């Protein structure tokens, strides 16, 4: 963190003393605490948070709209046409986002918690580390795919100018994207918020402009009648598969929910922007990509905007890609850095160390961008495999078992006597139910080969992988949570202290 | 236990650790006892709206349109 001997943070120096720390703190101590709240796991108090309603909408939109929308739209164009795709994409995107948003959004907003800290109530301190591993893989994977798309966009624009430098320029684009992301993230949430205040509306305008160009050039009739690129033989399977991919896209937001909502001031600002932007807006932009893929045979805007509007239109699209991807990669990297604070060896490291640790795993994407990018559809399905059951377990835990109340002391205390320590740090019902959900998903749909069970066409894979673990977990944990609640009522009024703080 | 080098950025000294723990306990106490109104309202109607608009109706539309 830099320690108390570091120069006072200018932001902390200008922050009223009661907001930065207890009234008797020195300026250096207040700056230290401010750094811990911005770049560490200290629960955020309401006056420290960045986002009201407008800010949350802007931030969520900037996070949601990146070229992953175009990647997903391109995948979906293989299996379905425009009208069916529009319905399935919008419905799947909002339904998947709903499943993974409600519980973490409300919990992290109410208690100012980082995402992995919140999961402790269901998984225990050591069970949490299992979740942490998958969480980091998720964030790193999306970052890598985003930056490869940025590198591809750079190459396409150079081709538009008549240069074809080869695939190495994609790796160069990934490197540049990593550097921009590092610069943005190391400057803190406030800069992210300021940059997204411009990037969000800019992305919205560019998206509408691109859609307008598409309609002007091809017309809705041509788009609506375009055939999918490489559908499966069974039409019904194509339809459900697209709905499943779209839900997986919404479910994949799980990793970013806590970071966004921890920084919101009011509950509705924590929920509605997430559902509307991460779910609905993302679905709309995905549909723009779906339409372009169907008629232009490519989802990459830097490819299809050049034939329509010339090279400078491709440059405009590249600008869009750069803004969209770097802002989204910055949010993903920020959340990853915060999550890595759970590792003892990184707990007290300076923030820039955590950012480096979050970005270094993306280095393979510099060296093998095409090879890793080809796993994009399977990676999308992987999100559903893990996060669907995770969403179900956490939903049941926070909403139904705990009635939206957490024992926040138990989250930051590693003493075995605390409520969330469970069995040697593992809450086996949560882990078993998550594994059950993953098994259900893989039984219904193989995300690598796309082979499916007959049931998949009626129930999808994500829905049962969410609902079944949630119900089983609720039934399994109900007696234990009831006992803990009774014990809490019995000891109400007694002062609480941290016996073994884990921060 | 030996004290870490004072300039080592990866380890907190005892004073920092104690300061952080006290600050954490202060925040936990505040968050535990805070008035719920401080965090804004999200009630039964919000839940019905979200569940209907963002989960139930979308799934029904997909089935109906199939």
């Amino acid at each position: 963190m830099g320690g108390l001997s570091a120069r006072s943070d200018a932001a902390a120096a200008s922050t009223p003393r009661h907001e930065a720390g207890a009234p008797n703190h020195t300026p250096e101590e207040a700056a230290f605490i401010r750094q811990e709240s911005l770049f560490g796991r200290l629960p955020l108090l309401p006056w420290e948070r960045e986002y009201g309603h407008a800010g949350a909408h802007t931030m969520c939109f900037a996070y949601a709209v990146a070229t992953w929308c175009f990647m997903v739209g391109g995948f979906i164009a293989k299996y379905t046409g425009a009208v069916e795709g529009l319905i399935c994409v919008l419905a799947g995107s909002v339904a998947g986002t709903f499943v993974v948003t409600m519980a973490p959004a409300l919990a992290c907003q109410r208690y100012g918690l980082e995402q992995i800290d919140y999961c402790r109530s269901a998984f225990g301190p050591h069970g949490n580390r299992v979740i942490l591993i998958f969480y980091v893989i998720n964030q790193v994977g999306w970052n890598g795919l985003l930056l490869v798309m940025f590198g591809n966009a750079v190459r396409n624009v150079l081709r538009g100018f008549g240069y074809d430098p080869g695939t190495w320029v994609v790796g160069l684009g990934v490197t540049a994207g990593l550097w921009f992301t590092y610069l943005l993230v190391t400057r803190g949430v406030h800069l992210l918020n300021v940059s997204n205040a411009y990037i969000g509306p800019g992305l919205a305008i560019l998206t509408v402009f691109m859609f307008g160009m598409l309609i002007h050039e091809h017309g809705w009739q041509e788009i609506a009648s375009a055939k999918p690129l490489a559908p499966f033989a069974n039409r019904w399977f194509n339809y459900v598969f697209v709905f499943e991919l779209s839900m997986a896209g919404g479910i994949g937001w799980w990793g970013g929910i806590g970071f966004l909502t921890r920084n919101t001031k009011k509950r509705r600002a924590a929920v509605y922007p997430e559902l509307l932007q991460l779910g609905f807006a993302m679905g709309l932009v995905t549909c723009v990509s779906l339409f372009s893929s169907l008629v232009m045979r490519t989802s990459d805007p830097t490819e299809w905007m050049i034939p329509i509007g010339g090279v400078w239109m491709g440059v405009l699209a590249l600008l869009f890609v750069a803004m969209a991807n770097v802002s989204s990669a910055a949010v993903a990297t920020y959340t990853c850095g915060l999550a890595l604070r759970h590792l003892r060896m990184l707990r007290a490291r300076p923030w820039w160390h955590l950012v480096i640790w979050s970005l270094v795993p993306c280095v393979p994407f510099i060296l093998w961008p095409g090879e890793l990018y080809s796993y994009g559809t399977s990676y999308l399905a992987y999100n559903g495999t893990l996060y669907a059951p995770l969403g179900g377990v956490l939903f049941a835990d926070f909403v139904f078992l705990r009635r939206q109340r957490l024992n926040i002391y138990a989250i930051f205390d590693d003493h075995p006597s605390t409520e969330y320590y469970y069995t040697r740090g593992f809450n086996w019902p949560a882990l078993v139910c998550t594994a059950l959900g993953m098994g259900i998903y893989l039984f219904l749909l193989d995300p690598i080969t796309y082979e499916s069970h007959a049931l998949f066409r009626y129930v999808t894979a994500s829905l049962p992988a969410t609902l079944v673990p949630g119900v089983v977990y609720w039934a399994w944990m109900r007696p234990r949570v009831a006992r803990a609640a009774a014990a809490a009522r019995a000891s109400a009024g007694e002062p609480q202290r941290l016996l073994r703080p884990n921060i | 236990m030996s004290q870490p080098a004072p300039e080592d950025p990866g380890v907190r000294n005892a004073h920092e650790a104690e300061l952080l723990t006290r600050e954490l306990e202060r925040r936990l106490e505040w968050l535990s006892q805070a008035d719920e109104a401080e965090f804004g309202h999200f009630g039964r109607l919000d839940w019905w709206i979200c569940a209907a608009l963002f989960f139930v109706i979308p799934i029904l539309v997909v089935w109906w349109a199939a």
Side-chain angles (χ1 to χ4, degrees):
Chain A
M1 285 294 184
L4 291 173
S5 59
R7 254 177 277 164
S8 297
D9 181 13
S14 64
T15 303
R17 289 168 69 92
H18 78 276
E19 294 182 0
N24 57 348
H25 285 164
T26 66
E28 287 78 18
E29 289 173 342
F32 171 71
I33 289 167
R34 179 88 175 133
Q35 290 289 305
E36 286 286 342
S37 66
L38 282 176
F39 304 120
R41 293 170 44 222
L42 272 182
L44 292 182
L45 300 173
W47 49 85
E48 294 177 315
R49 303 177 189 186
E50 288 281 342
Y51 308 125
H53 288 271
H57 275 286
T58 305
M59 184 61 159
C60 287
F61 184 80
Y63 185 34
V65 177
T67 49
W68 46 40
C69 301
F70 296 95
M71 182 182 82
V72 173
F75 293 146
I76 287 172
K78 293 180 187 175
Y79 311 110
T80 187
V83 175
E84 288 182 341
L86 179 70
I87 294 169
C88 290
V89 166
L90 288 180
S93 187
V94 297
T97 305
F98 173 85
V99 160
V100 296
T101 289
M102 299 306 294
L106 291 169
C108 294
Q109 190 275 341
R110 170 61 180 81
Y111 297 101
L113 294 172
E114 181 270 330
Q115 180 96 343
I116 303 297
D117 275 322
Y118 153 61
C119 293
R120 186 179 285 244
S121 67
F123 288 89
H126 299 325
N128 240 12
R129 297 211 168 93
V130 177
I131 305 303
L132 176 64
I133 293 168
F134 290 105
Y135 180 87
V136 171
I137 292 173
N138 174 259
Q139 300 299 80
V140 167
W142 279 121
N143 264 2
L145 290 175
L146 275 182
L147 296 177
V148 169
M149 285 184 263
F150 172 65
N152 283 334
V154 170
R155 189 181 176 197
N156 290 334
V157 172
L158 287 173
R159 278 173 166 170
F161 281 109
Y163 303 105
D164 192 357
T167 55
W168 64 266
V169 76
V170 179
L172 189 65
V174 175
T175 306
L178 287 172
W179 180 240
F180 290 132
T181 302
Y182 173 83
L183 289 177
L184 201 54
V185 176
T186 49
R187 271 109 181 117
V189 175
H190 184 68
L191 179 62
L192 264 179
N193 192 30
V194 169
S195 65
N196 284 329
Y198 296 97
I199 289 173
L203 290 175
I205 292 169
L206 280 169
T207 305
V208 172
F209 180 71
M210 285 196 294
F211 180 65
M213 283 187 62
L214 207 54
I215 292 292
H216 179 264
E217 189 69 17
H218 293 277
W220 174 248
Q221 204 54 41
E222 182 183 344
I223 293 171
S225 59
K227 301 291 182 204
L229 306 180
F232 296 106
N234 187 296
R235 179 185 163 273
W236 177 249
F237 178 82
N238 288 312
Y239 186 76
V240 179
F241 187 61
V242 167
F243 181 55
E244 172 61 41
L245 279 184
S246 304
M247 267 201 298
I251 286 169
W253 287 122
W254 184 84
I257 301 293
F259 164 75
L260 294 167
T261 59
R262 177 185 188 226
N263 272 289
T264 53
K265 296 174 181 173
K266 300 296 180 185
R267 284 185 169 99
R268 285 179 176 151
V271 175
Y272 288 106
E274 309 250 340
L275 295 173
L276 287 168
Q277 306 304 338
L278 301 184
F280 189 72
M282 179 195 163
L284 283 179
V285 179
T286 301
C287 288
V288 173
S289 167
L290 165 66
F291 301 154
S292 74
S293 300
L294 288 170
V295 294
M296 304 292 293
R297 289 341 215 195
T298 174
S299 62
D300 189 329
T302 56
E303 281 191 36
W304 62 261
M305 284 181 73
I306 291 175
I308 293 176
V311 170
W312 290 108
M313 204 54 70
V315 172
L316 189 65
L318 176 61
L319 184 66
F320 168 89
V321 168
M323 288 195 306
N325 287 7
V326 171
S327 66
S328 300
V331 173
T333 303
Y334 207 111
T335 63
C336 194
L338 289 180
L340 289 176
R341 286 261 182 242
H342 286 271
L343 300 177
R344 189 178 293 273
M345 60 178 268
L346 297 177
R347 201 174 274 179
R349 286 280 160 190
W351 177 240
W352 68 270
H353 283 208
L354 278 298
V355 178
I356 294 288
W357 277 102
S358 302
L359 293 176
V360 160
C362 294
V363 167
F365 289 91
I366 297 175
L367 303 172
W368 304 287
E371 293 85 345
L372 292 173
Y373 185 79
S374 67
Y375 288 105
T377 312
S378 297
Y379 182 72
L380 188 63
Y382 152 78
N383 282 298
T385 310
L386 172 67
Y387 290 133
L390 201 59
V393 166
L394 291 171
F395 194 102
D397 184 80
F398 183 70
V399 177
F400 293 112
L401 286 171
R402 303 187 192 281
R403 305 297 176 105
Q404 304 181 54
R405 299 291 297 180
L406 294 179
N407 180 345
I408 195 171
Y409 281 87
I411 285 179
F412 289 96
D413 198 334
D414 274 356
H415 196 272
S417 67
T418 55
E419 183 179 347
Y420 301 149
Y421 197 79
Y422 300 113
T423 307
R424 299 187 183 184
F426 294 92
N427 187 22
W428 291 107
L431 290 166
V432 168
C433 288
T434 302
L436 170 67
M438 294 170 74
I440 290 172
Y441 192 105
L442 294 172
F443 171 75
L444 291 167
L445 177 70
D446 185 327
I448 306 294
T449 65
Y450 307 141
E451 288 179 20
S452 67
H453 191 276
L455 276 176
F456 169 77
R457 301 175 195 193
Y458 304 100
V459 300
T460 75
S462 292
L463 284 176
T466 303
L467 295 172
V468 172
V471 170
V472 172
Y473 179 79
W474 172 82
W476 194 344
M477 283 292 288
R478 203 163 160 231
R480 177 169 194 152
V481 173
R483 284 195 298 274
R489 283 191 296 273
S491 62
E494 294 176 15
Q496 289 184 275
R497 291 298 305 271
L498 294 172
L499 301 173
R500 195 178 293 175
N502 57 36
I503 200 165
Chain B
M1 191 186 339
S2 58
Q3 282 284 18
E7 296 305 317
D8 185 341
V11 182
R12 293 197 186 97
N13 59 43
H15 177 53
E16 289 174 349
E18 186 191 341
L19 176 65
L20 194 57
T21 300
R22 277 194 281 115
E23 175 63 18
L24 175 61
E25 287 181 329
R26 184 183 80 88
R27 289 173 183 238
L28 297 183
E29 185 180 1
W30 192 95
L31 288 164
S32 298
Q33 297 172 0
D35 185 357
E36 290 302 313
E38 182 77 38
F39 303 96
H41 182 69
F42 194 89
R44 196 179 294 263
L45 180 61
D46 294 284
W47 273 102
W48 278 109
I49 289 171
C50 289
L53 282 183
F54 298 105
F55 191 70
V56 175
I57 292 174
I59 292 174
L60 290 176
V61 167
V62 168
W63 280 107
W64 170 78

